[in-house]
């Protein structure tokens, strides 16, 4: 049911004097009321009659020829009037003469009786005062004081009642004053009731919001005493209010003091909670890269800034801001002394040159900054999102380290409690290591892909299996939980014609190991990797040509072998030699040269040489088919 207001709240009294009655006619002023009850009202004055009266007075007082007189005649009349007044004053001064004895006697006869009456009244008043002063029975009156009989009789005097019009005016005055007083009292009570109602609603909303926040498992701490509170012995120092603390447990004090919120009693429309230390900025991760064409691209992490309609949403947004500000403070501290890359540090920006064509930037920006001003591939944006999420995990790892150090006993964390002089694990070094490891894997894959593309153009079936990170998701999470340096690894398998296999293993940030059948070699430079690939693939192709030659020259008992020093495959039979030499590999094409040496059977025994070349860019058939045809054409046919 809807709450209905009491009747006194709906009462409306007008503070203005009524000008019309219930019928809408104007109300006249009441002048008097006769004894028989007849009311006498003030007559409404006719403006036309008033103007006529004023004009008539002008003619009566100033003459009928007032408008016909010129200014000269008016001044003459005024001078004549002044002369007459002066003559009258002069005659009056001349008429003042000394008083004669007869006039003096007449004045005495007129004044003495009045003075005698005044003397008698004063004597009677004196006697009355003396009687009142000596009214006690023990006191006697002076012998010269006599009280006339009947002089102290009582008389009742009553004030005559006012006339009816005055009574009406007094009644109206009293009613008007009471009405004004009642109106002021009603407005005072209404304002007090409204304030009480607002206070009740505000208090109810305050505790409802507090219970919701407590239900969402946010920390409530006692508020400090207000300034001026008594703190001496015996004083009540218990807090009457509370604050909401949403900072992390192991955060520095400056960030814990910033992560404080309170519930206001008076809502100003800004939100359910108030954040005294909130700065409304966030951490933005961006990558500036340059492609092979020289074009620059910028990618940023995606920021989902939702509406803060509830207290829980506001606390989550404020907590995310404080955590990101703490991450940025740790990034500034680490980037100042970063060992493996150059960094630029300012108040709101940390820029690190992660790789040759990639800069990693961490910046504090405003919350209302849009995400649509960046243009780059989705891969770089996904990398920024991954770095943004990894920074939070690395921060939690540093907090776990500090907690285990603070507790100082075994079993609190996954690892043993560190020593007192150890420092928390870094959060910037693992990120830079991962970016450098990614660039390293991309560079290695580019070199391997050059060889693979060349073999594909030569018609040699080749397969590549690249796995940059060999750890599973659970293993990566366990690495983030440990206090040791984060190391990840992967492998690359290169299989040529289902016969020869090359295996490479990676370790972050830039360790490459080649696992060959005859040895295990660490590779330190890209040039060394390129040379190794060329040598191994060339040897594989030459060995495959030898296998084909052995198969085809079996009926002539030919012998085939690979000369690793000269980098060629050699086949011999009946005084004839066939050499295959691969001169170029790894630049997108395969160049092979076949040289056939034969000795004549005549008495001269001359040696003739026939050379034929193969280029995978121009050839229309695979390399091994071309070698097979060359061998088959060089063999004797029976």
């Amino acid at each position: 049911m809807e709450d209905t207001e009491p009747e006194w709240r709906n009462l409306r009294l007008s503070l203005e004097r009524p000008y019309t009655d219930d019928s809408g006619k104007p109300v006249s002023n009441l002048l008097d009321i006769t004894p028989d009850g007849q009311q006498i009202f003030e007559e409404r004055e006719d403006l036309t009659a008033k103007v006529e009266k004023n004009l008539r007075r002008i003619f009566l007082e100033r003459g009928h020829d007032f408008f016909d007189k010129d200014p000269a005649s008016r001044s003459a009349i005024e001078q004549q009037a002044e002369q007459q007044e002066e003559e009258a004053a002069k005659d009056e001064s001349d008429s003042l003469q000394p008083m004669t004895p007869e006039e003096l006697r007449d004045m005495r006869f007129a004044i003495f009786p009045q003075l005698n009456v005044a003397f008698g009244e004063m004597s009677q008043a004196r006697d009355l005062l003396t009687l009142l002063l000596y009214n006690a029975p023990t006191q006697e009156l002076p012998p010269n004081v006599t009280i006339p009989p009947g002089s102290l009789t009582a008389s009742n005097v009553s004030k005559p009642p006012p006339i009816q019009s005055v009574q009406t005016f007094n009644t109206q005055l009293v009613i008007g004053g009471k009405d004004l007083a009642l109106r002021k009292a009603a407005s005072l009570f209404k304002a007090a009731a409204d304030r009480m109602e607002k206070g009740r609603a505000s208090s109810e909303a305050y505790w409802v919001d507090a219970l919701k926040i407590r239900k969402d498992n946010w920390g409530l701490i006692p508020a400090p005493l207000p300034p001026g509170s008594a703190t001496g012995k015996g004083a009540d120092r218990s807090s009457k209010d509370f604050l909401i603390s949403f900072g992390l447990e192991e955060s520095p004090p400056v960030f814990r003091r910033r992560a404080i919120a309170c519930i206001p009693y008076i809502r100003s429309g800004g939100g359910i909670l108030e954040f005294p230390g909130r700065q409304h900025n966030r951490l933005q991760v961006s990558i500036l890269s340059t492609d092979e064409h020289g074009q620059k691209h910028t990618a940023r992490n995606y920021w989902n800034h939702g509406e803060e309609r509830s207290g829980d949403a506001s606390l989550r947004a404020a907590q995310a801001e404080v955590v990101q500000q703490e991450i940025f403070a740790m990034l500034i501290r680490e980037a100042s002394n970063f060992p493996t890359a150059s960094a630029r540090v300012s108040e709101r920006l940390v820029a690190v040159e992660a790789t040759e064509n990639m800069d990693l930037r961490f910046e504090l920006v405003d919350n209302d900054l849009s995400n649509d001003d960046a243009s780059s591939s989705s891969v770089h944006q996904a990398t920024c999102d991954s770095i943004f999420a990894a920074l939070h995990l690395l921060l939690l790892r540093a907090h776990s380290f500090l907690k285990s150090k603070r507790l100082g006993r075994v079993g609190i964390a996954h690892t043993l409690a560190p020593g007192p002089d150890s420092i928390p694990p870094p959060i910037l070094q693992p990120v830079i290591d991962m970016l450098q490891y990614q660039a390293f894997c991309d560079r290695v894959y580019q070199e391997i892909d050059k060889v693979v593309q060349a073999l594909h153009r030569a018609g040699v079936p080749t397969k590549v299996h690249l796995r940059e990170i060999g750890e599973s998701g659970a293993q990566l999470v366990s690495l983030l939980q440990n206090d040791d340096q984060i190391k990840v690894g992967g492998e690359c398998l290169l299989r040529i014609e289902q016969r020869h296999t090359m295996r490479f293993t990676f370790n972050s940030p830039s360790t490459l190991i080649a696992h060959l059948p005859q040895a295990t070699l660490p590779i330190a430079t890209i040039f060394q990797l390129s040379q190794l690939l060329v040598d191994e693939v060339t040897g594989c192709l030459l060995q495959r040509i030898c296998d084909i030659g052995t198969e085809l020259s079996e009926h002539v008992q030919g012998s085939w072998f690979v000369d690793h020093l000269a980098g060629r495959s050699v086949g011999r039979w009946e005084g004839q030699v066939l050499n295959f030499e691969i001169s170029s590999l790894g630049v997108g094409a395969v160049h092979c040269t076949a040289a056939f040496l034969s000795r004549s059977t005549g008495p001269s025994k001359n040696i003739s040489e026939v050379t034929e070349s193969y280029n995978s860019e121009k050839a229309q058939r695979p390399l091994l088919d071309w070698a097979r045809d060359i061998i088959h054409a060089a063999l004797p046919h029976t």
Side-chain angles (χ1 to χ4, degrees), residues 347-367:
E347 183 180 0
R348 297 172 65 94
L349 175 65
V350 176
V352 182
E353 187 178 355
T355 59
E356 182 179 359
N357 296 323
M358 182 184 296
D359 291 344
L360 180 62
R361 303 180 63 180
F362 305 94
E363 186 176 3
L364 283 180
V365 298
D366 297 334
N367 283 338

Side-chain angles (χ1 to χ4, degrees), residues 529-573:
L529 173 63
S530 301
Q531 189 63 38
L532 178 65
L533 288 173
V534 170
D535 294 343
E536 290 297 321
V537 173
T538 300
C540 176
L541 295 178
L542 293 178
Q543 183 63 42
R544 185 71 181 95
I545 292 174
C546 288
D547 295 341
I548 295 174
T550 303
E551 179 183 355
L552 295 178
S553 62
E554 185 179 359
H555 63 283
V556 294
Q557 297 181 357
S559 62
W560 290 81
F561 63 93
V562 178
D563 188 358
H564 294 283
L565 295 178
R568 59 183 180 178
S569 60
V570 181
R572 296 178 179 178
W573 65 89

Side-chain angles (χ1 to χ4, degrees), residues 144-164:
N144 58 350
V145 177
T146 59
I147 301 176
S151 59
L152 296 179
T153 58
S155 62
N156 295 326
V157 179
S158 61
K159 183 179 180 181
I163 61 177
Q164 193 72 18

